[in-house]
Amino acid sequence: MSKQITTIVIGAGPIGLELAVALKLADTKYLHLEAGQIGQTITWYPKQAQFFSSPDRIALCGVPLQTVNQSKATREEYLAYLRSIVQQFKLSINTYETVTCIEPLKDHKFQVTTSKSTYEAQNVIVTIGDMHRARKINVPGEDLPHVSHYFDEPHKFFNQKLLIVGGKNSAVEAAIRCHRAGAKVSISYRRDQFNERSIKYWLLPEIKWLIENKKIDFHPESIVTRITPTHVQLDSMTGPQKIEADFALLLTGYEMDPSLFQHAGVKLQGKNRSPQFDNQTMETNIPGLYVAGTAAGGTQQSYKLFIENCHSHIVKIMRSFKLKDPTQINELAYTHLQKEKTLKQLPES
Ligand SMILES: Cc1cc2nc3c(=O)[nH]c(=O)nc-3n(C[C@H](O)[C@H](O)[C@H](O)COP(=O)(O)OP(=O)(O)OC[C@H]3O[C@@H](n4cnc5c(N)ncnc54)[C@H](O)[C@@H]3O)c2cc1C
């Protein structure tokens, strides 16, 4: 027997959490399901990685995000902030419960199946992000144990020969950090140079200096053809090359898994395979099924959707649900926090 729910929110990343606060402040009953821990996508950023967005742009529902040095937030600071949002607003989230299927039923309802249960809901809002799996380069040796698609932390590569594949922020940041941590770093990038407009402005001069001064080897216009336990083979402008490598980091981007949308009948569009939705309401072509956050962008070929420009999705959904004036969400959040504070300050009788 399915449990009956009005609204189900899938995903507790920053946007799912901000949406949950808005729904809660509008006194709406909803069920929140999350496959991992809250902020799961952020947990696999490299340790101490810095956001490129300023704190005020990634702050949620008007609650200030303070950082220890008034600079960009780190992974750790932002995760702590997300935990505090959940605590302050007493959000209830079923973590470690993966949604495996959303099925539209005949009576304008949905059956939502998870790893633990089955629910029936009138509305489903999907905020599952766009980073479900690493983009593979499909070469022999990609699955060897010294090869990874995720950069965790630099210490592992101290005194090691490390080849990094990629030329965007993740690859450049990993190269600089691992070089500083004592690794012998090489970069293989399929383009002739980094895209200056998309690399964090504080990383660009540094990577250029390290390459110009031969502290980091740069192999432009090269592609990996094979990885062995000791080497990486490249095809480059100068012909085939064999680079010694104790480790290889393949930082070539991430893909979205659109199967939840697909099974529910949502149309997927273009190269990104992004869900089709009404830009005024965030409702997909399946009535009652909404999308919010970076999930709306599908597998983004060049990143256009970030936390900072997804806050408006919540406003649109709240308007569409005819809930409390969404422009007052921040004000409501503030009032809620003040109320909490006042109650806590009351002396015990
Ligand atoms: C190193 C790095 C640095 C970045 N820096 C920035 C930055 O500075 N600014 C910025 O805006 N963005 C940045 N990003 C991107 C940022 O992570 C995303 O913009 C942000 O996480 C999107 O938020 P979201 O809530 O839409 O999705 P997510 O944060 O991806 O949250 C989606 C949630 O849904 C859950 N989920 C997925 N599938 C299911 C399922 N089937 N059932 C239940 N739950 C599910 C996931 O576990 C996850 O917790 C960066 C990314 C990386 C890798």
Side-chain angles (χ1 to χ4, degrees):
M1 178 74 179
S2 303
K3 296 166 198 158
Q4 308 282 323
I5 317 278
T6 314
T7 299
I8 289 184
V9 177
I10 307 174
I15 299 302
L17 292 175
E18 191 166 41
L19 174 68
V21 172
L23 290 171
K24 183 155 188 182
L25 294 176
D27 299 323
T28 304
K29 288 214 166 19
Y30 67 92
L31 173 73
H32 201 165
L33 302 166
E34 162 57 51
Q37 183 49 273
I38 64 149
Q40 184 67 30
T41 305
I42 288 121
T43 64
W44 54 256
Y45 289 12
K47 294 194 176 76
Q48 298 297 332
Q50 267 193 319
F51 279 75
F52 55 80
S53 310
S54 349
D56 48 328
R57 288 170 185 259
I58 55 173
L60 307 178
C61 27
V63 178
L65 164 59
Q66 284 282 351
T67 61
V68 285
N69 57 1
Q70 299 73 51
S71 184
K72 318 276 185 189
T74 61
R75 163 194 183 274
E76 286 71 18
E77 285 173 325
Y78 199 57
L79 285 174
Y81 174 76
L82 295 184
R83 292 195 298 273
S84 73
I85 291 283
V86 172
Q87 288 182 324
Q88 287 173 57
F89 291 97
K90 297 190 172 61
L91 300 180
S92 165
I93 304 157
N94 289 16
T95 47
Y96 303 105
E97 182 165 355
T98 307
V99 174
T100 52
C101 189
I102 307 167
E103 199 185 329
L105 304 174
K106 278 190 191 128
D107 49 358
H108 303 292
K109 285 188 180 167
F110 297 92
Q111 179 166 290
V112 174
T113 311
T114 75
S115 49
K116 295 186 178 170
S117 194
T118 306
Y119 307 92
E120 262 184 37
Q122 280 162 11
N123 297 301
V124 177
I125 311 171
V126 183
T127 69
I128 57 170
D130 61 342
M131 295 184 176
H132 297 127
R133 54 190 174 223
R135 186 178 284 137
K136 293 256 184 179
I137 60 169
N138 298 316
V139 296
E142 188 166 6
D143 296 327
L144 286 170
H146 68 300
V147 181
S148 176
H149 294 85
Y150 298 91
F151 170 45
D152 180 21
E153 53 131 355
H155 176 73
K156 180 176 173 183
F157 307 112
F158 172 66
N159 274 351
Q160 305 294 308
K161 295 184 197 81
L162 169 67
L163 179 89
I164 295 175
V165 179
K168 296 200 172 156
N169 275 310
S170 302
V172 169
E173 190 157 10
I176 296 172
R177 290 184 64 186
C178 293
H179 162 75
R180 284 198 194 132
K184 176 76 194 97
V185 177
S186 309
I187 303 176
S188 159
Y189 186 36
R190 66 196 162 108
R191 301 199 190 284
D192 60 343
Q193 54 185 329
F194 302 117
N195 180 346
E196 305 212 341
R197 281 184 305 159
S198 65
I199 303 286
K200 294 172 187 171
Y201 65 84
W202 61 91
L203 297 177
L204 194 61
E206 185 144 20
I207 191 72
K208 281 182 162 178
W209 187 89
L210 290 169
I211 291 169
E212 277 160 22
N213 289 278
K214 310 226 176 303
K215 311 274 184 201
I216 288 179
D217 289 333
F218 184 49
H219 302 274
E221 292 187 86
S222 66
I223 52 161
V224 176
T225 53
R226 172 179 288 274
I227 305 172
T228 72
T230 54
H231 289 82
V232 176
Q233 290 176 17
L234 302 180
D235 254 355
S236 69
M237 305 179 282
T238 51
Q241 270 181 291
K242 216 171 156 190
I243 313 278
E244 274 187 84
D246 303 309
F247 289 94
L249 274 178
L250 311 180
L251 303 178
T252 48
Y254 305 96
E255 291 175 341
M256 184 201 189
D257 176 359
S259 56
L260 278 186
F261 290 116
Q262 217 167 1
H263 290 148
V266 176
K267 288 188 188 138
L268 301 176
Q269 317 176 100
K271 204 172 172 197
N272 289 5
R273 307 201 74 212
S274 51
Q276 190 184 78
F277 62 91
D278 177 340
N279 197 31
Q280 297 302 310
T281 60
M282 304 308 291
E283 191 172 27
T284 65
N285 60 291
I286 303 296
L289 182 54
Y290 293 75
V291 61
T294 54
T299 295
Q300 302 186 57
Q301 308 298 319
S302 61
Y303 285 100
K304 297 220 164 56
L305 276 185
F306 304 101
I307 299 168
E308 58 188 83
N309 56 9
C310 288
H311 302 297
S312 61
H313 297 178
I314 293 154
V315 175
K316 290 175 186 178
I317 290 172
M318 297 292 283
R319 279 200 184 126
S320 168
F321 279 28
K322 300 197 171 32
L323 292 173
K324 271 183 192 150
D325 182 352
T327 54
Q328 289 175 5
I329 290 171
N330 289 356
E331 208 174 304
L332 282 169
Y334 181 74
T335 316
H336 168 86
L337 290 175
Q338 286 298 100
K339 209 166 83 187
E340 287 281 304
K341 214 169 128 196
T342 318
L343 286 176
K344 283 198 189 111
Q345 280 169 353
L346 284 178
E348 284 178 24
S349 55

